[in-house]
Amino acid sequence: MTNDDVPSQTSRPEERYDAVIIGAGVSGMYALHHLREMGLSVRVYDGASDVGGTWWYNRYPGARVDGPGSPYYCYTFSDELMEEWDWKETQSEWSDVLRYIEHVADRFDLRRDIQFETWVQDARYDEATQRWTVETNTGVRASAQFLICAVGALSTANLPDIPGIDDFAGECHHTGRWPHEPVSFDGKRVAIIGTGSSGIQAMPEIAKEAAHVTVFQRTAQFAFPAGNRPLSAHEMAEARRTWEEIKAKMLAHPGGFPFDTHTRSALEATPEEREALYEELWQRGGFRFFLESYNDIAISEEANASLADFVRSKIRQIVRDPATAEKLMPDHFVMTKRPILENGYFEAYNRDNVSLVDLREDPIERFTETSVVTRSGDHPIDMLVLATGFDAISGSMLRLDPKGRGGMRLSERWTDRFHNYLGLTISGFPNLFMIHGPGSPGVFYNMPLGAERQMGWIGNLVRRLRDRNLGAVEATADGEAAWAEEVAALANATLFPRTDSWWTGANVPGKPRYFSVYLGGSIYYARLDEVAAKEYEGLVFEEAHDASDAGAA
Ligand code: NA7
């Protein structure tokens, strides 16, 4: 259904709120809590049947936190949450993360303001009233002064357009839309397309049960041992005891984690020193290669090659069949695609029931009812797992396609790039705020903490409007242009833009190709403070058209 097909809801009374939030994932939940604490009336809509966002959808086998992990991948706004929640593992399973999120929803009574199984089909700004109106597939029509888009950076599934894919008659699941009922692989021949984080997490788990797994790989990946392990009661107690220090470190760290920042250059170390450090980090596992090895891995080709060679040698050591190992050799700059944490992925290729097809030499030509046909021949399968990722960062905003001033659609504004200011606002779309949108650190930052910090800034801006009886705030075109330059300058100082990735939009045909994440990490939050201190430089405020309407619904 397109937005134009939305049935008219004029007969239904309009619900009025101060703010409407789209999305009840980690960001939307915090936005609700924060705005409610500020005294605003808020309504949240989400298409899922409960809270959790990406964690509600991504319940494929092997799905776990694949960043620095617990107990740091969590909200920080409530010390009680830290006191009462016990994380079980360093890389929590999706079900544990979801339980935590559900606990937060219970603890702060969030669900009373969330309407589930409700899809926002239309969001449009009315210049006369300075309010947004949303319409949903359940027939709700609601208006609010503020529209908070917490729609998720990784939530719009990227479905491959391969001839005949719809003809395939067996079970087919996208990892980001995994069924809630158990999926049995028992005795089945399973094809997995995609070797990003999801495919690499899922494959070893599926291989334990399936008759055969064939992985169809477009790009070989650098993956690092996840190093998942149980968190002891002592570790949790220690984290609680030092929580204030941990939080301070998280705020200071470029990625929002309580680690020391690396200050060493790989090029200043001898090859032996580098090897020793890489080996130590490999044995410990986790995200440490990214955060604790050298500070120039993502900047210098030579430094990058030193780590890339190390990982390639590890893959050769682990995978016994040399032909398979060669197909698994990545040839891009390490770290310039989303670093992957694996739990037995490379080892799984030593199983008799796992095989690999390198799509670069043997591309998929089509699907039949019962098979994947590549150039070399037919691969009969019973089940298809699409681990093909997402129209990331910008895709969910474009799916929402809000209409701003003059009825302009976001999809008309975002043709060549994802124009924005501070990653939070868009010129022509007053009073609309994004969390983890393009132009923000989003997926390069501890996401729950990032959501809190972005929402804190948005909250202060909302407070300013209400205190001063202002009707609207909006990015200026100049502000957007300057921000685009800042985002580009940070990215262009690194190797990131030189690799095809979902960070650069290269995974979705036709998408603008540029690195759309703000790479400055915690500098970003200093920039937000600076903008606020300069009377919200780059934003323009508008008087309330109807003074009685601004401030409260
Ligand atoms: P990713 O990282 O985007 O991985 C998707 C994978 O699917 C990747 O290997 C792609 O190859 C591959 N792909 C995508 N489209 C196709 C087609 N048409 N044919 C063959 N292969 C294809 O998504 P994930 O879900 O794994 O991970 C995303 C994040 O979600 C991650 O950070 C986790 O935290 C959770 P490519 O590399 O583009 O050549």
Side-chain angles (χ1 to χ4, degrees), residues 132 322 466:
W132 283 89
R466 292 165 66 81

Side-chain angles (χ1 to χ4, degrees), residues 24 26 29 33 36 50-52 55 74-75 77-87 94-111 114 116 236 240:
V26 168
M29 285 168 62
H33 173 73
R36 225 164 57 174
D50 204 348
V51 290
W55 294 106
C74 65
Y75 291 113
F77 71 90
S78 154
D79 290 342
E80 288 76 32
L81 274 178
M82 185 62 192
E83 279 300 322
E84 56 200 29
W85 193 257
D86 276 321
W87 291 103
W94 67 267
S95 51
D96 264 354
V97 181
L98 200 53
R99 261 196 295 276
Y100 168 77
I101 292 171
E102 287 166 359
H103 169 72
V104 175
D106 292 341
R107 182 77 170 66
F108 297 95
D109 192 17
L110 296 181
R111 288 188 185 86
I114 305 175
F116 294 108
M236 279 307 304
R240 289 189 181 109

Side-chain angles (χ1 to χ4, degrees), residues 66 160 193-198 218-219 337-338 359 387-390 502:
D66 63 349
I193 300 185
T195 51
S197 300
S198 305
R218 184 163 77 182
T219 307
K337 282 167 101 73
R338 168 62 156 85
L359 297 179
T388 46
F390 302 91
W502 54 259

Side-chain angles (χ1 to χ4, degrees), residues 342-396:
E342 57 90 24
N343 299 278
Y345 174 71
F346 293 119
E347 282 90 343
Y349 284 101
N350 295 330
R351 298 175 65 108
D352 293 338
N353 69 336
V354 176
S355 50
L356 176 65
V357 174
D358 178 356
L359 297 179
R360 289 193 187 171
E361 61 187 36
D362 190 11
I364 298 177
E365 293 185 336
R366 64 195 159 85
F367 278 84
T368 70
E369 275 187 24
T370 55
S371 66
V372 189
V373 184
T374 62
R375 187 186 290 160
S376 69
D378 211 39
H379 304 265
I381 56 165
D382 303 302
M383 189 193 285
L384 175 58
V385 172
L386 297 172
T388 46
F390 302 91
D391 184 351
I393 304 169
S394 53
S396 299

Side-chain angles (χ1 to χ4, degrees), residues 58 60 66 154 158-162 174-175 193-200 216-219 221 337-340 359 364 387-390 500-502 506-507:
N58 283 267
Y60 56 85
D66 63 349
L154 293 159
N158 177 33
L159 297 169
D161 183 16
I162 300 172
H174 187 280
T175 46
I193 300 185
T195 51
S197 300
S198 305
I200 283 181
F216 293 85
Q217 169 194 276
R218 184 163 77 182
T219 307
Q221 277 278 14
K337 282 167 101 73
R338 168 62 156 85
I340 294 177
L359 297 179
I364 298 177
T388 46
F390 302 91
D500 283 350
S501 70
W502 54 259
N507 63 328

Side-chain angles (χ1 to χ4, degrees), residues 411-427:
S411 53
E412 295 170 72
R413 204 54 246 291
W414 277 9
T415 49
D416 56 337
R417 61 182 297 121
F418 314 117
H419 300 277
N420 67 81
Y421 179 53
L422 309 174
L424 298 171
T425 62
I426 308 164
S427 161

Side-chain angles (χ1 to χ4, degrees), residues 414-455:
W414 277 9
T415 49
D416 56 337
R417 61 182 297 121
F418 314 117
H419 300 277
N420 67 81
Y421 179 53
L422 309 174
L424 298 171
T425 62
I426 308 164
S427 161
F429 294 76
N431 293 355
L432 177 152
F433 299 101
M434 300 179 286
I435 305 181
H436 295 319
S440 80
V443 291
F444 265 70
Y445 196 80
N446 185 347
M447 295 190 83
L449 178 63
E452 289 176 344
R453 298 186 81 178
Q454 290 186 12
M455 196 54 223

